[in-house]
């Protein structure tokens, strides 16, 4: 007995028809625009020959509004499992050539089935979004489908990493599934994300705006802060997703893919000593510090173009996967403001979920002063940093490079907020406020009555800096593990990470904390 050749032929023909998606013409049209097909996108994402498809033969179940005699190959979304770096990853890719990639109930069910599979198998989920949104003909069933996807996005959050790639339109409520995931990568061309487009905004408010101003990758990367990475094109988007994946565990009960060096090198890096400007008022460029701290200068910066006064991203330090959170004094003097607090706090929480140790580099003059900040809720937003650090139980290593003033000192993972080890450079200044401000308040009369008030103020500032704000003061109160030379930083941080890696910290059981949102 052998299988009938007719059955095999039938299978082959069915597959072929589905692979043709919305038809040769539509596929050719995409190619002309320089866009990959939904299937090509999955081929580009995964190692060759590793893709196992789920639900190739699925069809819409709606027979109203002209859909009765229409077939939607794979119902407009390709779902399945493939391999990246030898590890299985679940992915879906919406097919714009099929009903504009619109989401009907079967399309949604396929995504939900994949989400459920990723959850029980403990594997990351990557969604490639390219869709006209809820399938108009399917009405409430389509809306319900979105609801079921959102629900699962939340179930998966903190269990497996979720990455969204936006490679086409992402309109209306459809933007909310990506927004519920950990990272959004958006292509510069062809992708738009918005809740209400320019026409709706015009009709509702009378305001005139272009799609680029509200929905482009550039707008979301710099102004709204909704996305984490901008990709030049689809290929670049997949490269970013793969790079991100290379730092992440498959799920929350696994460790990230550390590649520890056999021994920790304590080799000095004298260039680090030269990075600190001589003038205490000249800003330190923290990117230069990060570039020398991480292995091979290889730092995957997250939200690079948003709230640039804080820098966050992933790297390895002597092989240990690490999340870096650093003040950037070259932008807004490195102050913590509303946006930078949101950015920092979310990244801290991401690292904590997936067992990624945190290294914090501190050079912060305080929270950003200003009416807009106070009225915009800097208290609520700044509190997110305090909350996120205190709640994080992963290894937390802090390096105080220069300024660490006031509440912002505490908010940058001080020992009181639960840092496991804190190192300070000799240039560190830990105080309620900067020396200049402090002496103006404390020695108002002395300065006013001095023969040369400016000179007096300068002398008092220098004395304050040496006597009260120097790191040795904080070290004498055991708030600092050690004062180190900048040149020692890489070796000491690597050793600190290695020493703290097996840390286990349990907290009282609770449903969840109530982070100020
Ligand atoms: C059904 C849709 C569709 C949709 C597009 N198509 N969107 N079919 N439901 N939502 C179909 C078109 O009819 C067309 O079919 C094909 O997809 C390609 O669409 P075009 O308009 O020709 O393509 P293009 O000019 O590139 O424009 C793409 C687009 C536009 C900008 C996405 O199609 C568009 O505005 N669509 C509607 C977007 C939208 O408002 N969706 C609802 C969002 S609200 P044929 O057969 O002609 O090729 C939402 C609610 C979710 O999603 C709520 C969750 C809480």
């Amino acid at each position: 007995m052998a299988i009938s050749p007719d059955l095999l032929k039938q299978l082959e023909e069915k597959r072929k028809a589905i692979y043709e998606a919305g038809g040769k013409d539509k596929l050719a049209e995409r190619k002309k625009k320089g866009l990959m097909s939904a299937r090509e996108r999955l081929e580009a994402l995964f190692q060759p020959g590793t893709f196992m498809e789920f639900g190739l033969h699925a069809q819409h179940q709606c027979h109203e509004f002209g859909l009765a005699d229409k077939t939607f190959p794979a119902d407009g979304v390709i779902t399945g499992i493939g391999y990246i770096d030898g590890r299985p990853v679940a992915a879906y890719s919406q097919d714009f050539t099929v009903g504009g990639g619109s989401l009907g109930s079967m399309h949604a069910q396929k995504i939900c089935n994949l989400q459920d599979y990723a959850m029980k198998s403990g594997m990351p989920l990557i969604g490639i979004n390219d869709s006209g949104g809820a399938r108009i003909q399917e009405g409430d069933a389509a809306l319900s489908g979105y609801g079921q996807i959102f629900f699962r996005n939340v179930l998966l959050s903190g269990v497996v990493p979720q990455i969204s790639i936006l490679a086409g339109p992402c309109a209306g409520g459809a933007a909310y599934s990506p927004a519920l995931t950990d990272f959004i990568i958006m292509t510069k061309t062809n992708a738009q994300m918005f809740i209400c487009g320019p026409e709706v905004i015009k009709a509702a408010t009378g305001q005139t705006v272009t799609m680029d101003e509200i929905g482009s990758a550039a707008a979301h990367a710099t102004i709204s802060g909704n996305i984490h990475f901008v990709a030049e094109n689809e290929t670049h988007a997949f490269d970013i997703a793969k790079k991100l994946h290379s730092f992440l565990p498959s799920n929350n009960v696994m460790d990230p893919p550390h590649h520890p060096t056999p021994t920790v090198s304590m080799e000095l890096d004298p260039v680090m000593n030269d990075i600190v400007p001589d003038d205490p008022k000249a800003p330190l460029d923290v990117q230069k510090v990060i570039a020398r701290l991480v292995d091979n200068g290889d730092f995957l910066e997250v939200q690079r173009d948003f709230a640039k006064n804080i820098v966050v991203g992933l790297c390895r330090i002597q092989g240990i996967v690490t999340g870096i959170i650093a003040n950037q004094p070259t932008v807004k003097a490195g102050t913590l403001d509303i946006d930078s607090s949101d950015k920092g706090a979310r990244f801290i929480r991401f690292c904590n979920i997936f067992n990624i140790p945190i290294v914090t580099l501190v050079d912060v003059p305080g929270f950003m002063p200003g009416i807009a900040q106070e009225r915009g809720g800097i208290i609520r937003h700044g509190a997110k940093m305090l909350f996120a650090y205190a709640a994080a139980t992963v290894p937390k290593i802090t390096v105080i490079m220069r300024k660490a003033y006031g509440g912002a000192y505490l908010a940058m993972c001080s020992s009181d907020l639960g840092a496991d080890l804190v190192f300070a450079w000799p240039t560190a200044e830990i105080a309620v406020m900067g020396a200049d401000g402090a002496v103006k308040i404390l020695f108002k009369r002395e300065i006013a009555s001095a023969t040369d008030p400016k000179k007096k103020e300068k002398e008092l500032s220098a004395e304050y800096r040496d006597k009260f704000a120097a790191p040795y003061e904080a070290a004498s109160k055991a708030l600092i593990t050690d004062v180190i030379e900048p040149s020692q930083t890489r070796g000491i941080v690597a050793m600190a990470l290695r020493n703290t890696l097996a840390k286990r910290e349990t907290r009282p059981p609770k449903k969840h904390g109530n982070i100020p949102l």
Side-chain angles (χ1 to χ4, degrees):
M1 271 279 275
I3 188 158
S4 133
D6 285 350
L7 281 178
L8 292 180
K9 192 161 170 255
Q10 185 193 35
L11 174 60
E12 193 190 317
E13 280 170 1
K14 276 188 177 292
R15 280 182 179 158
K16 213 172 132 205
I18 300 167
Y19 290 158
E20 263 180 23
K24 286 192 175 110
D25 291 350
K26 285 194 170 168
L27 287 175
E29 215 175 287
R30 277 181 81 78
K31 211 171 214 122
K32 239 166 81 186
K33 287 189 197 157
L35 296 170
M36 293 180 188
S37 72
R39 278 185 192 279
E40 284 167 344
R41 286 173 170 172
L42 288 170
E43 280 163 24
L45 179 66
F46 289 133
Q47 288 168 243
T50 62
F51 186 61
M52 175 190 273
E53 187 161 351
F54 297 173
L56 177 75
H57 302 280
Q59 265 299 318
H60 69 80
Q61 305 296 309
C62 175
H63 301 294
E64 294 165 59
F65 296 112
L67 283 188
D69 51 352
K70 268 197 173 178
T71 53
F72 278 5
D75 208 34
V77 65
I78 304 163
T79 59
I81 312 295
Y83 280 67
I84 299 176
D85 277 348
R87 292 192 284 154
V89 173
Y92 69 82
S93 177
Q94 292 181 310
D95 190 341
F96 195 81
T97 68
V98 178
S102 59
L103 183 137
S105 61
M106 181 51 67
H107 182 122
Q109 193 181 320
K110 285 180 70 176
I111 295 176
C112 289
N113 288 347
L114 189 74
Q115 290 175 307
D116 292 342
Y117 187 89
M119 170 81 113
K120 66 186 172 193
S121 316
M123 64 176 70
L125 181 74
I126 298 179
I128 306 171
N129 295 269
D130 191 348
S131 165
R135 189 173 296 156
I136 296 162
Q137 301 93 324
E138 296 204 34
D140 52 9
L143 292 181
S144 164
Y146 268 122
Q148 292 178 38
I149 293 170
F150 299 163
F151 185 77
R152 285 166 176 76
N153 282 133
V154 176
L155 290 183
L156 260 65
S157 184
V159 179
V160 296
Q162 299 181 84
I163 300 170
S164 298
I165 295 171
L166 269 48
C170 200
Y176 280 120
S177 175
L180 291 168
T181 64
D182 297 304
F183 294 105
I184 300 180
I185 304 164
M186 190 165 172
T187 55
K188 249 187 191 168
T189 49
N190 198 48
Q192 309 105 30
M193 178 167 65
F194 55 92
I195 297 297
C196 299
E199 292 87 19
V200 177
I201 293 178
K202 178 86 190 163
T205 70
Q207 293 169 316
T208 305
V209 72
T210 64
M211 178 56 83
D212 271 358
E213 285 172 294
I214 54 159
S216 63
H220 287 304
T222 56
I223 300 162
S224 72
N226 283 330
I227 69 167
H228 303 84
F229 299 97
V230 177
E232 293 299 321
N233 50 37
E234 301 148 291
T235 310
H236 187 211
F238 302 136
D239 288 346
I240 295 170
K242 286 184 231 187
K243 180 87 186 173
L244 195 49
H245 172 261
S246 75
F247 291 113
L248 308 182
S250 294
N251 57 58
N252 63 330
V253 294
M254 292 173 83
D255 280 331
H258 300 304
H259 306 309
T261 48
T263 54
V264 177
S265 160
M266 300 304 287
E267 196 185 329
L268 298 181
D269 177 5
V271 178
M272 279 286 231
N273 286 351
D274 299 332
I275 286 178
V276 188
D278 293 335
D279 176 0
K281 290 212 170 94
L284 169 82
D285 181 359
V286 84
Q287 293 282 8
K288 289 186 183 160
V289 176
I290 295 171
R292 303 199 73 83
L293 181 65
V294 307
D295 293 354
N296 311 312
D298 188 5
F299 178 56
L300 180 63
E301 190 172 347
V302 174
Q303 289 193 301
R304 191 191 64 193
D305 300 317
F306 178 68
K308 291 164 126 181
N309 39 339
I310 203 161
V311 176
V312 303
L314 294 160
C315 64
R316 285 189 174 76
I317 298 180
Q318 300 205 22
I320 305 300
V321 173
T322 304
I324 300 230
I325 292 115
N327 305 118
Q328 173 54 291
T330 60
V331 180
K332 295 183 184 170
T335 47
L336 286 178
D337 60 3
I338 289 171
D339 284 345
S340 65
S341 298
D342 283 3
K343 173 177 164 181
R346 181 159 164 87
F347 186 70
I348 294 160
R349 283 164 70 83
F350 174 78
C351 292
N352 190 46
I353 290 165
F354 292 113
N355 310 313
I356 298 171
I358 292 170
V359 168
T360 303
L361 304 175
V362 187
D363 186 355
V364 67
F367 284 98
M368 172 94 144
I371 298 166
Q373 291 292 313
E374 294 296 332
R375 290 171 67 98
I378 182 65
I379 296 173
R380 173 165 52 95
H381 292 277
K384 292 177 195 181
M385 288 292 284
L386 298 165
F387 200 109
Y389 269 128
T393 54
V394 288
K396 292 179 283 191
I397 315 296
T398 300
V399 180
I400 304 175
M401 303 176 298
R402 297 171 99 200
K403 295 179 290 298
Y405 297 158
Y409 151 67
L410 296 173
M412 288 305 293
C413 207
S414 57
S415 61
D416 301 300
L417 264 286
D420 299 295
L421 297 167
V422 180
F423 300 95
W425 291 355
T427 43
E429 282 180 53
I430 301 151
V432 172
M433 62 179 71
D436 296 349
V439 297
K440 273 197 186 90
I441 295 169
L442 294 176
F443 303 105
K444 205 173 178 175
R445 274 184 215 93
E446 285 88 334
I447 293 169
S449 59
T451 42
D452 184 346
K454 279 251 159 327
K455 192 170 161 228
K456 183 76 184 165
E457 194 179 320
K458 228 173 153 186
E459 283 166 11
L460 285 167
S461 282
E463 197 181 335
Y464 177 94
R465 217 174 258 123
D466 286 351
K467 287 213 179 120
F468 298 105
Y472 306 101
E473 276 299 309
S476 75
K477 299 178 184 82
L479 296 171
I480 282 172
T481 311
D482 201 2
V483 182
I484 61 168
E485 245 188 67
S487 64
Q488 293 176 284
T489 307
R490 183 170 146 81
I492 285 186
V493 167
M495 184 64 93
L497 284 168
R498 217 58 82 92
N499 292 347
T500 322
L501 213 51
K503 171 190 174 188
R504 291 289 177 266
E505 193 179 316
T506 47
R507 304 276 176 101
K510 58 183 166 186
K511 206 164 179 183
H512 57 74
N514 193 10
I515 188 165
L517 293 173

